[in-house]
Amino acid sequence: MKKKAFITGIAGQDGSYLAEHLLENDYEVYGIIRRNSITEHQRLRLNHLDNKITIEYGDLLDISSLENKIIKIKPDEIYNLAAQSHVRVSFDIPHFTVMNNAIGALNLFETVKNHSKNSKIYQASSSEMFGRCVDEDGFQREQTRFEPTSPYGCSKVFCFNLTKHYRIAYNLFAVNGILFNHESPRRGSNFVTSKVVKTAVRIKNKLDDKLILGNLDSSRDWGHSKDYVKAMNLMMNHSKPDDFVVATGETRTVKELCEYVFKKLDLNMDKYISQSEKFMRPEELRFLCGDSSKIKKELGWKPEYSFESMIDEMIEFWGKNHDKNVIEY
Ligand code: NAP
Ligand code: GDD
């Protein structure tokens, strides 16, 4: 019998790659999407999978929608990827972000505990939880303390703790993937990698003449979403539930990201880039660099993309799509 996977956030960047990865591994794939007034936008990243997966309306904040589906499907694996995932937006809508991410996850854990205790559950935890903390050797790892610097980060710490609590208290197979930033052509265009690549490509094509950014000095450990969804699936098929950091172990500043992209497009970035308060954050997470030795050693995970091959793929993608309203993935 095929394994059944249920994905919240299936229409997001990671959800769509995870659905593809699970289909390739012979899973039946189910997921929920929220109602959106522009239906076409909602399924954009999933159009190519239309006949292969089962999508229904559902919302983490509507526990009845979760119960109905989980009782009916009885999934072997549940991936909780749904979240208000934009850090800067979380300063503008802190109540919604915390309610959605934290109470949403609680609704899902309660549903599993009460109706489907054998379903394994993956929680999309984040390097944003580390906030101000870096170990002395310049890395963050499973043992590093959490000191989040945003409402989003605080909501994710709640979910991380909830996952461990339900694992211990109710014996659920509940795992935390502590994923560092990961990008792709499917990354929302208001995250910094997509924003920089898309705008630089538009500048090259004379459709834009400036790129306005916030903090250029913060450092991020950027990997590819395709590599990271494979890590999620490995964690769910481990012999025991545990928590794992997933990262590349390399870090670059936003300025270095811009330098790479503009050089690749043969553009002088000093002519086009400026900064605005609008894109600054009340508190910035300054530095991320992850040590993923544990998942490499215990589960044999290894990323295929380098920073350069990932950004090159994004440049190629936006080269074809920078002037389109409807994008085909
Ligand atoms: P994303 O592209 O923003 O996707 C998130 C998805 O969740 C969207 O499709 C969104 O639907 C859906 N969603 C939000 N609230 C929901 C709710 N109440 N009920 C049902 N669906 C809801 O994010 P991503 O980059 O794929 O990330 C996936 C998960 O990993 C997120 O939890 C994120 O916080 C976490 N994470 C991401 C990274 C990263 O670098 N990408 C790193 C660490 C952790 P709408 O389109 O309707 O808003
Ligand atoms: N979005 C954005 N837009 N970021 C900018 C800009 C800008 O115009 N200018 C500078 N930055 C800086 C941000 O201040 C931050 O330091 C860095 O670029 C990365 O920002 P994002 O791409 O928005 O990602 P993030 O690190 O805040 O959050 C992402 O990674 C987390 C994991 O560490 C998101 O995917 C989160 O959901 C995820 O948990």
Side-chain angles (χ1 to χ4, degrees):
M1 254 214 334
K2 284 187 170 195
K3 279 204 226 176
K4 293 180 190 172
F6 177 77
I7 307 174
T8 73
I10 193 167
Q13 170 188 250
D14 292 2
S16 60
Y17 283 120
L18 178 64
E20 282 170 14
H21 179 66
L22 295 174
L23 287 171
E24 279 162 19
N25 285 281
D26 214 27
Y27 281 72
E28 271 176 32
V29 178
Y30 299 81
I32 48 168
I33 55 169
R34 297 192 288 188
R35 190 257 165 184
N36 185 292
S37 64
I38 307 180
T39 317
E40 292 77 10
H41 284 188
Q42 192 73 9
R43 289 165 173 263
L44 226 48
R45 296 187 180 100
L46 298 173
N47 280 341
H48 63 298
L49 301 176
D50 241 5
N51 301 320
K52 300 183 183 141
I53 56 181
T54 307
I55 303 289
E56 289 184 50
Y57 284 111
D59 194 310
L60 278 189
L61 291 178
D62 181 338
I63 196 165
S64 67
S65 75
L66 301 176
E67 287 173 347
N68 291 339
K69 274 144 202 88
I70 285 172
I71 289 170
K72 190 171 68 180
I73 301 164
K74 287 263 179 258
D76 299 284
E77 297 174 14
I78 298 172
Y79 294 84
N80 185 29
L81 308 186
Q84 191 302 89
S85 72
H86 201 286
V87 174
R88 208 203 57 78
V89 172
S90 82
F91 294 102
D92 297 341
I93 50 169
H95 287 85
F96 173 75
T97 302
V98 172
M99 175 78 83
N100 191 49
N101 300 0
I103 304 303
L106 180 62
N107 286 341
L108 191 59
F109 275 103
E110 276 295 296
T111 302
V112 173
K113 183 193 92 184
N114 293 332
H115 303 290
S116 191
K117 276 195 84 172
N118 291 328
S119 298
K120 296 178 180 181
I121 181 160
Y122 172 92
Q123 172 57 30
S125 287
S126 164
S127 49
E128 184 71 20
M129 301 188 303
F130 295 120
R132 302 173 204 100
C133 289
V134 191
D135 288 358
E136 274 183 8
D137 64 356
F139 288 90
Q140 287 113 344
R141 46 177 65 83
E142 289 80 5
Q143 296 78 17
T144 308
R145 217 174 53 246
F146 297 146
E147 268 191 40
T149 50
S150 63
Y152 168 83
C154 294
S155 76
K156 287 287 179 177
V157 172
F158 175 88
C159 299
F160 177 91
N161 287 323
L162 202 64
T163 306
K164 282 187 95 161
H165 168 58
Y166 275 68
R167 181 195 302 161
I168 294 164
Y170 306 110
N171 212 19
L172 298 188
F173 192 106
V175 307
N176 279 297
I178 308 172
L179 272 49
F180 282 61
N181 298 50
H182 46 279
E183 320 294 313
S184 74
R186 295 184 196 170
R187 183 61 139 158
S189 55
N190 57 352
F191 293 91
V192 78
T193 52
S194 275
K195 179 173 169 180
V196 169
V197 172
K198 182 181 176 184
T199 312
V201 169
R202 285 177 60 84
I203 290 172
K204 183 78 187 171
N205 286 279
K206 307 208 178 320
L207 294 169
D208 267 327
D209 56 10
K210 53 182 179 293
L211 169 60
I212 307 173
L213 292 169
N215 187 0
L216 301 181
D217 299 324
S218 53
S219 295
R220 290 292 182 272
D221 176 331
W222 281 295
H224 197 298
S225 173
K226 261 190 182 177
D227 283 328
Y228 287 35
V229 300
K230 291 179 188 164
M232 296 176 189
N233 185 233
L234 285 173
M235 288 177 220
M236 292 286 260
N237 287 283
H238 189 28
S239 52
K240 61 177 199 297
D242 203 351
D243 308 320
F244 292 93
V245 157
V246 183
T248 69
E250 289 178 17
T251 191
R252 288 174 178 77
T253 61
V254 173
K255 186 163 177 240
E256 286 168 334
L257 160 74
C258 295
E259 282 165 357
Y260 182 81
V261 173
F262 277 74
K263 186 155 180 245
K264 196 84 197 176
L265 291 168
D266 203 17
L267 293 170
N268 173 6
M269 75 177 211
D270 298 334
K271 259 179 75 183
Y272 303 104
I273 296 184
S274 59
Q275 286 174 283
S276 162
E277 269 302 315
K278 187 176 166 198
F279 300 109
M280 304 283 185
R281 299 165 184 201
E283 184 178 0
E284 176 66 90
L285 193 168
R286 294 181 185 284
F287 180 89
L288 285 175
C289 187
D291 172 5
S292 51
S293 315
K294 181 177 170 187
I295 191 167
K296 285 184 172 150
K297 186 160 169 268
E298 292 188 22
L299 305 183
W301 177 78
K302 198 167 151 261
E304 282 171 22
Y305 281 86
S306 64
F307 172 81
E308 289 80 8
S309 62
M310 174 184 74
I311 298 292
D312 292 354
E313 187 184 290
M314 292 174 73
I315 292 174
E316 196 188 332
F317 173 83
W318 284 112
K320 291 181 194 143
N321 289 288
H322 63 271
D323 55 351
K324 291 197 182 132
N325 286 330
V326 178
I327 296 167
E328 281 178 29
Y329 287 97

